Amino acid sequence: MDKRSDKDQLNQLSLEILRAFDRVQQNARKIFQKTASDHNLSIPQLVLLTKLAPQIEMTQKELGKETQLPKSTLSQAVDGLVLAGLIHRHPVEDNRREMQLILSEKGKEFFDTIWVQKGSIHHAFECALQTFTEKQSEDFLAALRQIALFLEKEITEQGE
């Protein structure tokens, strides 16, 4: 009976954690969508800026792999960002078919402005984390990393 009770408690805890992740994800998505809309961006465009900004430059192929956006969606998003002057696109020197995407100065300023703006996902997370003690933040991050590693291992073992 004790083993069954432990298993039931673990199942219940697992469900509660999954529900909490789902709530975080749904609300983060809503904030992300609003940020994109408020700045006349599509969601894929904001996704690309979010991935490209810390790196400053990436190939379109790398960005596609990183974001897992379909090629047509990726191309349309890149075209829109190039037209807006937020990124530059240049052929890769040793592979002319591959495109290097580089965040423009305008793109960097734009991203830096919206990223810290009240109502952005980054701002919301920062505010939420300010309610944690330093120890809680460290423990939370360690737990998330542990879950991420475990899930990545599961995907690898399943032969994605």
Side-chain angles (χ1 to χ4, degrees):
M1 183 73 170
D2 214 31
K3 290 265 187 204
R4 177 87 174 140
S5 175
D6 287 349
K7 179 91 170 132
D8 288 345
Q9 285 179 336
L10 185 59
N11 282 338
Q12 186 61 33
L13 180 60
S14 176
L15 280 174
E16 287 180 39
I17 290 172
L18 284 170
R19 285 184 188 127
F21 267 127
D22 187 49
R23 284 182 58 210
V24 168
Q25 190 175 21
Q26 283 181 23
N27 289 310
R29 191 177 314 119
K30 287 176 186 175
I31 292 169
F32 196 83
Q33 288 170 337
K34 183 170 180 353
T35 300
S37 176
D38 288 351
H39 294 89
N40 298 317
L41 296 172
S42 67
I43 292 167
Q45 288 172 332
L46 186 55
V47 167
L48 295 184
L49 281 178
T50 302
K51 293 287 185 179
L52 184 59
Q55 309 296 321
I56 306 297
E57 66 179 70
M58 293 175 85
T59 65
Q60 190 162 331
K61 187 176 184 177
E62 291 169 332
L63 203 50
K65 193 173 183 181
E66 184 92 10
T67 62
Q68 296 185 343
L69 289 171
K71 282 186 180 184
S72 60
T73 303
L74 179 66
S75 293
Q76 287 178 341
V78 166
D79 289 346
L81 293 171
V82 169
L83 237 70
L86 299 176
I87 64 172
H88 301 295
R89 178 175 41 200
H90 302 286
V92 174
E93 276 190 38
D94 57 342
N95 182 356
R96 293 277 179 205
R97 292 183 302 173
E98 183 64 44
M99 289 293 158
Q100 186 75 21
L101 304 176
I102 303 165
L103 193 66
S104 68
E105 192 57 42
K106 179 181 176 182
K108 183 179 176 355
E109 290 171 14
F110 179 77
F111 184 78
D112 289 347
T113 299
I114 65 171
W115 194 241
V116 296
Q117 208 169 46
K118 185 176 178 168
S120 74
I121 192 65
H122 181 260
H123 182 263
F125 267 87
E126 276 188 349
C127 289
L129 289 173
Q130 287 174 0
T131 68
F132 288 19
T133 65
E134 187 174 336
K135 173 100 170 82
Q136 286 174 320
S137 293
E138 290 168 4
D139 290 347
F140 182 60
L141 183 57
L144 286 175
R145 285 180 175 154
Q146 187 174 345
I147 290 169
L149 284 172
F150 182 84
L151 294 176
E152 289 163 2
K153 183 180 171 196
E154 283 290 305
I155 289 169
T156 303
E157 288 176 3
Q158 292 174 6
E160 188 188 60

